[in-house]
Amino acid sequence: MYSKLRDQMKTKRHYPALKTLEHLEHTYLPQVSHYRFCKVMVDNIPKLREEIKDVSMSDLKDFLESIRKHSDKIGETAMKQAQQQRNLDNIVLQHPRIGSKRKLKKDAYIIFDTELESTSPKSEQDSGILDVEDDDDDEEVPGAQDLVDFSPVYRCLHIYSVLGARETFENYYRKQRRKQARLVLQPPSNMHETLDGYRKYFNQIVGFFVVEDHILHTTQGLVNRAYIDELWEMALSKTIAALRTHSSYCSDPNLVLDLKNLIVLFADTLQVYGFPVNQLFDMLLEIRDQYSETLLKKWAGIFRNILDSDNYSPIPVTSEDMYKKVVGQFPFQDIELEKQPFPKKFPFSEFVPKVYNQIKEFIYACLKFSEDLHLSSTEVDDMIRKSTNLLLTRTLSNSLQNVIKRKNIGLTELVQIIINTTHLEKSCKYLEEFITNITNVLPETVHTTKLYGTTTFKDARHAAEEEIYTNLNQKIDQFLQLADYDWMTGDLGSRASDYLVDLIAFLRSTFAVFTHLPGKVAQTACMSACKHLATSLMQLLLEAEVRQLTLGALQQFNLDVRECEQFARSGPVPGFQEDTLQLAFIDLRQLLDLFIQWDWSTYLADYGQPNCKYLRVNPVTALTLLEKISREMKDTSRKNNMFAQFRKNERDKQKLIDTVAKQLRGLISSHHS
């Protein structure tokens, strides 16, 4: 019996050796205890028992070390099986009959074989992990029972129980596994750089808890539910904190999307083992906001490239196929355009269909993130609409505003932007329908968020309109800088100044481009340009640096104003009623008529009457101009004092000017009082 015991010890069959030891100690040795060799055996028994205990503990330590090293392999196996089951569930959902006809070769979630024989060759020789080749075939994913041999744990637990030291064993096992849990939950510093970093982290955590769950269900009390729950709470808080930190570094929406799919698989895998994972799904909603931000940054670049590369010219089409291709990309219908022969042009440039399709691509990208998050269709719809609104009101709006505010943008481009945004605004209802079709939530549903696309495109259009008005005024100012009036000339000119003729020609060609603009925009631009021109001409006439001017110079200035009035009468933009556009120059016209006709008696007599001839002439303006003429006449009088008759005429005229000036000052003071 003693020889059998030594053989069992030698071959590491510790549990049978313990049984033999008990038989030897309690059954056989007492019968021959008076022999001296038996006394030697009796003295060795405690040493042998301690040796069995130590060797058994050594096997357990080897097992724990192997489990720690191979946690990621165990977790990878469990997650592969979870993925396999999910794929099968999806197939069954799509084809219900398959579920009844097809059976998996093995239950995806019976990970471990609980009926391991403690005396089997495998359990006798292994410390925990078996070498299994990776198999890419989905149906042949090895179960973790193919990877892990738990017999060292069972043997050691049994031996310690027999030896009355179970509590010591339990405390040691739990303490070691807690240490391992903390190591597993510590993410590598560069985890956020690749998806594999996250995958390895998740595999290790899943592997750890799959092992603990198996121990819970196959041993009586080595670990209990309270211990598992405590570990899981710690794991959840540390995992969520790590994911929050590392995911915040990620700027690639594709990586964020892959990470989300990995987290869902991680959560689904652990949920199968009974671990609560709601907090993980709550955290995914936080990552969703971050995903949305990374998408917006990506699409800001996409929109910028589209707008920068656009030629801002209507799309030309030379065949039916080309026409259908554009109409297939963007919802546009125009019966008149359809009737026209080829070649013909769409009113909008290429950025319209490109931007429209990129908005749809963005919506698809948002939808991808919502998959498998166990959200209702209403929640998905709301999420997509809110993200799309951010895309429209922030990202696209900023991109359009940046183009509109560019220094080198021309009037032609601005006109095309107005036309483009008008068509994009009309397409918003189709985007609403597009979202409704993919979420199956009707827009009439309570709390459904409306798209703000119309607002975005209206704002962009208004900005472009304002920029057109500003741009036109700047061009007018550039022409006016070329004005070179000789305010002291005595010659009467016969035609308008060259700079003004060029300016009018520029305005005519510019307004010819405005034919495709909405009527009111073209009319406002034209009226704004004429008013700015009239105001600028008035400032030229009244500027303080011009101290003197002759009536001859005023005649030349009058020719220029007549040229402006002729332009206004010609109807450069359709839609104005009669002389509406000419009214922009009415202040100049009445002021010039008053001085050229020298009609002061009428002006002074009728001043203040609602229907007076010179209603638009301000006495301050009239006085300023009169003083300039007065200074010039006095200066001329001093130079020509040798001609007595000429001097008398000048004196009479000067006296009249002084009288008029006095009366004008009286009007000004009475008006102020």
Side-chain angles (χ1 to χ4, degrees):
M1 184 66 77
Y2 189 77
S3 178
K4 180 183 176 185
L5 171 64
R6 298 302 294 178
D7 285 342
Q8 286 172 334
M9 293 284 287
K10 196 173 182 179
T11 56
K12 295 185 177 182
R13 297 171 65 225
H14 302 115
Y15 182 63
L18 196 59
K19 289 282 187 186
T20 304
L21 192 69
E22 285 178 357
H23 283 302
L24 194 62
E25 185 180 20
H26 298 296
T27 306
Y28 299 107
L29 281 175
Q31 297 177 32
V32 287
S33 58
H34 55 283
Y35 290 103
R36 195 169 49 188
F37 75 88
C38 292
K39 191 174 185 304
V40 175
M41 289 182 189
V42 170
D43 291 342
N44 276 340
I45 280 173
K47 294 175 187 175
L48 291 168
R49 187 177 281 115
E50 203 57 41
E51 186 182 339
I52 290 170
K53 191 176 175 183
D54 290 346
V55 171
S56 179
M57 179 57 77
S58 176
D59 284 352
L60 176 71
K61 286 177 180 176
D62 290 345
F63 168 82
L64 288 173
E65 180 60 22
S66 297
I67 282 286
R68 185 184 69 76
K69 286 181 181 176
H70 294 83
S71 272
D72 59 335
K73 187 66 181 173
I74 299 164
E76 183 186 352
T77 301
M79 286 176 76
K80 272 186 181 177
Q81 290 177 339
Q83 182 67 60
Q84 186 183 50
Q85 185 62 37
R86 188 203 282 176
N87 293 344
L88 182 66
D89 289 344
N90 289 339
I91 293 169
V92 171
L93 280 173
Q94 292 167 17
H95 309 284
R97 289 186 182 182
I98 292 175
S100 59
K101 290 182 179 179
R102 175 178 169 174
K103 290 185 178 179
L104 277 177
K105 287 186 179 179
K106 58 179 108 174
D107 184 341
Y109 296 118
I110 299 176
I111 298 287
F112 304 118
D113 181 1
T114 59
E115 297 180 3
L116 285 168
E117 291 294 332
S118 61
T119 55
S120 69
K122 180 170 75 172
S123 63
E124 286 298 325
Q125 295 162 9
D126 257 57
S127 62
I129 303 297
L130 305 176
D131 291 326
V132 177
E133 288 297 319
D134 229 350
D135 195 336
D136 290 334
D137 181 358
D138 277 350
E139 290 194 17
E140 296 298 330
V141 173
Q145 76 272 15
D146 299 320
L147 301 176
V148 184
D149 170 24
F150 285 88
S151 57
V153 182
Y154 304 142
R155 272 200 311 273
C156 196
L157 174 63
H158 200 71
I159 287 166
Y160 269 69
S161 298
V162 169
L163 296 174
R166 181 185 174 105
E167 189 176 340
T168 305
F169 176 78
E170 286 178 4
N171 290 338
Y172 176 80
Y173 177 85
R174 292 184 188 185
K175 183 180 177 183
Q176 293 305 311
R177 288 297 276 166
R178 273 199 182 91
K179 282 183 183 176
Q180 290 185 355
R182 289 191 179 92
L183 285 172
V184 162
L185 293 167
Q186 189 65 39
S189 58
N190 63 341
M191 181 171 78
H192 58 274
E193 291 176 4
T194 62
L195 193 65
D196 281 339
Y198 288 107
R199 187 178 283 115
K200 189 169 183 182
Y201 180 61
F202 289 146
N203 285 345
Q204 288 183 334
I205 296 171
V206 170
F208 179 90
F209 281 100
V210 165
V211 167
E212 288 309 282
D213 183 73
H214 186 67
I215 293 290
L216 174 70
H217 289 98
T218 57
T219 62
Q220 292 183 336
L222 176 55
V223 297
N224 55 30
R225 177 51 67 186
Y227 157 84
I228 295 277
D229 289 347
E230 179 199 334
L231 278 181
W232 177 240
E233 278 299 315
M234 176 182 76
L236 256 186
S237 62
K238 286 185 179 293
T239 305
I240 288 171
L243 287 173
R244 277 197 185 116
T245 303
H246 285 268
S247 66
S248 65
Y249 297 132
C250 186
S251 57
D252 178 6
N254 293 328
L255 182 56
V256 179
L257 186 63
D258 289 340
L259 173 60
K260 166 252 160 180
N261 290 330
L262 199 56
I263 293 171
V264 169
L265 182 58
F266 171 68
D268 286 351
T269 305
L270 286 163
Q271 193 171 30
V272 168
Y273 290 94
F275 294 101
V277 293
N278 288 344
Q279 287 182 51
L280 285 170
F281 282 101
D282 291 342
M283 189 210 54
L284 276 172
L285 297 181
E286 293 176 30
I287 292 181
R288 176 190 69 188
D289 295 335
Q290 186 201 334
Y291 174 70
S292 183
E293 284 300 318
T294 59
L295 280 184
L296 291 171
K297 284 178 186 173
K298 179 181 177 181
W299 257 260
I302 290 171
F303 287 143
R304 186 168 58 249
N305 291 338
I306 290 172
L307 297 174
D308 287 349
S309 62
D310 198 66
N311 61 8
Y312 294 93
S313 300
I315 302 173
V317 284
T318 54
S319 66
E320 187 68 31
D321 287 343
M322 288 177 71
Y323 187 90
K324 284 179 178 176
K325 184 182 176 184
V326 175
V327 173
Q329 292 172 337
F330 182 74
F332 176 77
Q333 195 173 19
D334 186 333
I335 296 168
E336 291 300 318
L337 187 64
E338 285 175 17
K339 289 177 182 175
Q340 289 176 23
F342 291 101
K344 53 189 172 185
K345 291 179 180 179
F346 284 94
F348 45 80
S349 70
E350 285 192 356
F351 98 53
V352 169
K354 284 181 179 176
V355 164
Y356 180 80
N357 280 295
Q358 281 304 325
I359 295 171
K360 287 168 71 175
E361 287 298 321
F362 178 87
I363 292 167
Y364 275 130
C366 289
L367 183 68
K368 280 181 186 174
F369 194 90
S370 66
E371 291 170 355
D372 302 317
L373 290 189
H374 313 304
L375 298 172
S376 68
S377 54
T378 310
E379 288 172 310
V380 172
D381 184 84
D382 189 57
M383 183 198 88
I384 289 174
R385 286 173 181 273
K386 283 179 178 174
S387 296
T388 307
N389 274 334
L390 278 176
L391 179 78
L392 293 169
T393 58
R394 198 171 80 189
T395 309
L396 181 54
S397 180
N398 287 346
S399 299
L400 288 168
Q401 295 290 346
N402 288 339
V403 171
I404 291 164
K405 299 293 180 187
R406 269 201 311 231
K407 282 185 180 179
N408 59 344
I409 191 152
L411 285 167
T412 310
E413 287 96 328
L414 288 167
V415 169
Q416 192 61 57
I417 288 171
I418 291 173
I419 294 165
N420 287 356
T421 49
T422 303
H423 286 285
L424 281 169
E425 184 187 337
K426 290 175 183 175
S427 74
C428 284
K429 63 177 182 179
Y430 297 104
L431 289 173
E432 289 268 10
E433 288 174 13
F434 179 69
I435 294 174
T436 299
N437 289 338
I438 61 175
T439 63
N440 293 319
V441 177
L442 296 174
E444 298 80 32
T445 308
V446 183
H447 307 311
T448 299
T449 308
K450 300 297 178 193
L451 287 186
Y452 301 142
T454 51
T455 311
T456 296
F457 298 125
K458 273 180 184 170
D459 290 347
R461 189 161 65 253
H462 291 153
E465 289 167 12
E466 288 299 323
E467 201 62 28
I468 282 178
Y469 308 148
T470 306
N471 200 311
L472 265 177
N473 291 349
Q474 287 171 350
K475 290 285 185 186
I476 290 169
D477 290 341
Q478 288 170 15
F479 278 102
L480 286 167
Q481 284 172 6
L482 302 173
D484 187 21
Y485 287 103
D486 179 5
W487 298 111
M488 302 302 293
T489 185
D491 300 331
L492 295 178
S494 59
R495 62 189 186 87
S497 306
D498 290 343
Y499 88 90
L500 198 90
V501 173
D502 293 342
L503 169 55
I504 296 299
F506 161 76
L507 290 176
R508 285 190 194 282
S509 64
T510 298
F511 291 129
V513 179
F514 285 18
T515 49
H516 294 298
L517 278 177
K520 286 184 179 177
V521 178
Q523 288 166 23
T524 307
C526 191
M527 179 58 83
S528 168
C530 288
K531 281 183 177 177
H532 183 72
L533 177 55
T535 305
S536 300
L537 287 171
M538 183 70 85
Q539 286 170 352
L540 271 179
L541 194 60
L542 301 176
E543 66 180 342
E545 289 178 16
V546 181
R547 299 278 300 159
Q548 303 175 15
L549 60 80
T550 64
L551 287 170
L554 214 55
Q555 288 283 6
Q556 177 59 50
F557 196 79
N558 185 46
L559 287 172
D560 290 352
V561 173
R562 285 191 186 283
E563 187 74 17
C564 294
E565 290 171 323
Q566 175 57 36
F567 166 71
R569 267 196 303 276
S570 68
V573 169
F576 282 111
Q577 292 181 349
E578 297 178 2
D579 297 336
T580 306
L581 201 54
Q582 277 179 264
L583 291 175
F585 301 98
I586 191 71
D587 291 19
L588 274 171
R589 171 50 45 223
Q590 290 189 7
L591 180 67
L592 290 170
D593 283 353
L594 173 62
F595 275 85
I596 289 167
Q597 295 171 18
W598 209 250
D599 195 8
W600 292 106
S601 55
T602 305
Y603 177 76
L604 294 168
D606 293 350
Y607 181 77
Q609 301 296 320
N611 298 319
C612 66
K613 184 177 179 182
Y614 302 105
L615 181 66
R616 306 289 299 179
V617 179
N618 187 307
V620 177
T621 306
L623 181 61
T624 304
L625 196 56
L626 191 64
E627 285 173 342
K628 292 184 183 205
I629 292 170
S630 174
R631 287 190 203 103
E632 189 276 331
M633 289 182 73
K634 284 177 182 175
D635 201 35
T636 305
S637 180
R638 278 198 300 275
K639 290 174 184 174
N640 300 326
N641 57 8
M642 70 268 311
F643 302 108
Q645 184 61 39
F646 182 78
R647 197 165 61 247
K648 184 179 183 303
N649 290 343
E650 288 295 316
R651 274 204 308 272
D652 291 344
K653 197 162 190 178
Q654 187 63 54
K655 200 178 287 182
L656 176 60
I657 287 173
D658 291 342
T659 306
V660 171
K662 187 177 179 181
Q663 287 178 290
L664 286 172
R665 288 189 190 97
L667 289 175
I668 293 165
S669 61
S670 65
H671 177 73
H672 282 304
S673 63

